[in-house]
């Protein structure tokens, strides 16, 4: 059985879906031309997890949002002399092409925040009614000081630590409308030229955190089995999401497993737009074959922070070649290759152990090499079917003809 480690608890726990389906929510992109290898690592890691859940017979509902109402969107659209909607459409189109090129399955629901305003307003209104949030001059804020449950899934020890991290990540502590510097915005007045919607607090637009709470609730209900995103979203984004969702629904927990993908660095530094060291998704897709990119990503545990190295790619291409050859080889015969169930078991054990995809790759290579080393007169059909299915869990694609003659 699959065991996972949630960010907010120690140790692994088995994933036992409560309902008939496993609900997965992954925070998606702000579509303004910065989708980089770090995003791909997040989306590819969750793609492997979802493929594995489906391989194990689970029905999965996968939701990934598009943050199209956001400060960065407005700024970039202005710079380009275009509208934020045109920018979003263009960039989401590019993202979909990149994901498809890498065989990263698209989510079942791919909602844009701008299309979810009603659900967002319902949530904000309820939080104000409960006394959890307050309106001030056309803005609405969550009252953090009054809520002792604020903080998880982050493990930040106290208020000062939370404020320091929030300030690094876009908080506006000096906003005179706030009761407390750590209060976060649920609804805000739009600046001139920005999109706006009518609301009980005046024309405005939603804050970022409430967008994800509303979309998760709409598509997955009050409890999400697995909530993912990059590790830079743990605080404040996911702490804000969790607290407001649990207050709104009255149901705990909002999330059964928080899974956070590690940051991908370049030469030891975090990739960021400001440092100018982004490896953009579309450039990567143009440069390397998709299977090699998928192997380079899956060769790191989802929680690991790691350095992207172009120098790793030849090895990935070599592994890809081993899989392709093993799926094509035809020793021909009646004696089944020995030990296939044991190979399979070891591969599944790697996935079951908190999605250890790099170990799974090595065990898949063991199976592929055993197929290639099979003497004439061996039936490798069963081994090839296992290899095809389980390389498929990693998102690798090989021509169908390879095992079709079985
Ligand atoms: Zn989110």
């Amino acid at each position: 059985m699959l065991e996972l480690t949630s960010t907010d608890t120690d140790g692994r726990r088995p994933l036992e879906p409560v309902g008939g389906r496993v609900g997965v929510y992954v925070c998606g992109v702000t579509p303004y031309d910065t989708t980089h290898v770090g995003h791909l690592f997040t989306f590819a890691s969750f793609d492997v997890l979802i493929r594995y859940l489906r391989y194990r017979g689970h029905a999965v509902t996968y939701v990934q949002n598009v943050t199209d109402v956001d400060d960065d969107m407005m700024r970039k659209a202005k710079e380009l002399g275009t509208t934020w909607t045109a920018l979003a459409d263009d960039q989401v189109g590019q993202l979909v092409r990149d994901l498809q090129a890498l065989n990263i399955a698209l989510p079942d629901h791919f909602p844009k925040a701008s299309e979810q305003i009603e659900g967002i307003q319902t949530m904000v209104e309820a939080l104000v009614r409960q006394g959890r949030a307050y309106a001030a001059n056309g803005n609405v804020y969550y009252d953090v000081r009054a809520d002792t449950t604020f903080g998880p899934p982050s493990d930040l020890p106290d208020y000062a630590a939370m404020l320091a991290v929030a300030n690094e990540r876009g908080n506006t502590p000096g906003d005179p409308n706030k009761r407390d510097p750590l209060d976060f915005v649920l609804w805000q007045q739009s600046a001139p030229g920005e999109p706006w919607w009518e609301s009980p607090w005046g024309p405005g637009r939603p804050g970022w955190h409430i967008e994800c709470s509303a979309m998760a609730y709409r598509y997955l209900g009050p409890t999400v089995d697995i909530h993912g995103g990059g590790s830079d979203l743990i605080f404040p984004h996911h702490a804000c999401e969790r607290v407001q969702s649990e207050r709104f629904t009255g149901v705990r927990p909002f999330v059964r497993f928080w899974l956070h993908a590690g940051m991908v660095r370049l030469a030891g530094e975090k990739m960021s737009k400001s440092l100018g060291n982004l490896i953009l998704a579309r450039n990567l897709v143009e440069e390397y074959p998709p299977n090699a990119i998928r192997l380079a990503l899956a060769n790191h545990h989802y929680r690991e922070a790691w350095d992207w190295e172009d120098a790793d790619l030849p090895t990935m291409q070599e592994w890809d070649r081993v899989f392709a050859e093993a799926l094509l080889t035809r020793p021909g015969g009646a004696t089944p290759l020995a030990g296939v169930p044991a190979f399979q078991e070891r591969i599944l054990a790697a996935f079951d152990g908190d999605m250890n995809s790099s170990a799974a790759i090595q065990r898949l290579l063991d199976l592929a090499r055993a197929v290639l080393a099979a003497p004439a007169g061996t039936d490798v059909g069963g081994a090839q079917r296992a290899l095809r299915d389980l390389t498929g869990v990693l998102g690798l694609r090989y021509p169908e003809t390879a095992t079709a003659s079985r």
Side-chain angles (χ1 to χ4, degrees):
M1 182 183 284
L2 174 58
E3 293 193 326
L4 295 168
T5 306
S6 183
T7 302
D8 59 345
T9 51
D10 291 327
R12 292 176 187 171
R13 285 180 289 137
L15 176 82
E16 289 157 350
V18 176
R21 309 180 69 83
V22 182
V24 181
Y25 186 96
V26 175
C27 289
V29 298
T30 303
Y32 73 109
D33 193 26
T34 52
T35 305
H36 56 76
V37 66
H39 298 113
L40 289 183
F41 180 55
T42 300
F43 299 144
S45 297
F46 283 98
D47 183 54
V48 175
L49 170 64
I50 288 163
R51 286 175 187 275
Y52 187 61
L53 288 168
R54 288 179 171 148
Y55 173 86
R56 284 295 211 171
H58 295 293
V60 178
T61 301
Y62 175 28
V63 183
Q64 188 191 122
N65 65 295
V66 175
T67 308
D68 62 342
V69 183
D70 180 272
D71 292 344
D72 290 322
M73 288 298 295
M74 307 311 150
R75 186 183 43 71
K76 183 77 180 185
K78 209 181 219 176
E79 259 173 53
L80 294 174
T82 183
T83 63
W84 62 278
T85 47
L87 176 64
D89 286 346
D90 185 50
Q91 289 301 314
V92 171
Q94 180 66 48
L95 173 66
V96 166
R97 285 193 294 279
D98 293 339
L99 295 178
Q100 286 176 331
L102 292 176
N103 197 28
I104 296 174
L106 296 180
D108 302 302
H109 302 282
F110 204 13
K112 286 180 178 166
S114 61
E115 294 161 357
Q116 308 286 327
I117 301 300
E118 206 182 312
I120 293 167
Q121 290 192 352
T122 301
M123 219 172 228
V124 178
E125 280 187 275
L127 292 169
V128 172
R129 214 166 37 237
Q130 291 174 7
R132 292 286 163 197
Y134 59 93
N137 289 323
N139 297 350
V140 182
Y141 302 92
Y142 195 88
D143 192 349
V144 167
R145 280 278 194 187
D147 196 327
T148 54
T149 68
F150 183 64
S154 85
D155 60 357
L156 293 167
D158 53 28
Y159 175 87
M162 288 194 273
L163 186 61
V165 177
N167 289 349
E168 278 168 25
R169 295 181 175 167
N171 184 39
T172 50
D175 180 346
N177 293 314
K178 288 188 186 184
R179 290 180 189 166
D180 184 280
L182 193 53
D183 289 350
F184 58 90
V185 71
L186 301 175
W187 187 264
Q188 61 195 326
Q189 277 188 317
S190 299
E194 288 183 352
W196 57 271
W197 289 265
E198 288 295 352
S199 84
W201 318 284
R205 61 187 175 97
W208 171 35
H209 313 308
I210 196 77
E211 295 175 354
C212 281
S213 282
M215 289 184 260
Y217 180 68
R218 171 163 176 188
Y219 295 102
L220 298 173
T223 296
V224 176
D225 290 300
I226 297 171
H227 193 316
S231 62
D232 54 346
L233 299 184
I234 298 173
F235 194 88
H237 184 52
H238 288 163
C240 298
E241 250 191 88
R242 188 196 62 77
V243 78
Q244 68 204 1
S245 288
E246 290 181 355
R247 292 302 181 188
F248 170 73
T249 64
V251 176
R252 279 192 205 178
F254 165 49
V255 170
R256 296 177 57 230
F257 289 87
W258 288 100
L259 303 190
H260 290 103
M263 294 290 105
V264 183
R265 299 172 303 231
L266 193 63
E269 286 204 271
K270 189 193 162 181
M271 279 187 210
S272 75
K273 197 168 175 61
S274 52
L275 288 171
N277 63 349
L278 297 182
I279 295 182
L280 293 179
R282 60 168 190 275
N283 296 343
L284 204 61
V285 165
E286 280 165 18
E287 206 165 336
Y288 296 107
N291 282 356
I293 298 173
R294 290 300 301 258
L295 283 167
L297 299 171
N299 201 34
H300 299 273
H301 187 263
Y302 68 83
R303 213 169 32 245
E304 182 188 338
W306 55 286
D307 274 63
W308 175 265
E309 303 272 8
D310 282 332
D312 290 342
L313 269 295
T315 305
M316 304 304 135
Q317 285 172 279
E318 169 60 19
W319 292 351
D320 179 37
R321 194 186 54 76
V322 172
F323 291 136
E325 282 181 7
L327 288 168
L328 280 168
T329 188
R330 289 278 178 278
T335 316
L337 181 67
V340 173
F343 278 114
Q344 239 170 318
E345 234 168 77
R346 284 199 291 272
I347 298 162
L348 297 186
F351 285 122
D352 280 342
D354 199 16
M355 295 303 294
N356 190 343
S357 51
S358 61
I361 293 171
Q362 293 310 314
R363 291 166 190 183
L364 276 160
L365 285 167
D366 293 341
L367 174 59
R369 289 180 184 123
V371 168
L372 289 169
T378 307
D379 173 8
V380 295
Q384 287 176 324
R385 277 190 295 279
L387 197 57
R388 176 172 295 282
D389 289 347
L390 289 161
T391 51
V393 168
L394 293 172
L396 307 181
R397 276 182 293 204
Y398 295 99
E400 277 302 326
T401 49
T403 50
S405 63
R406 280 291 310 157

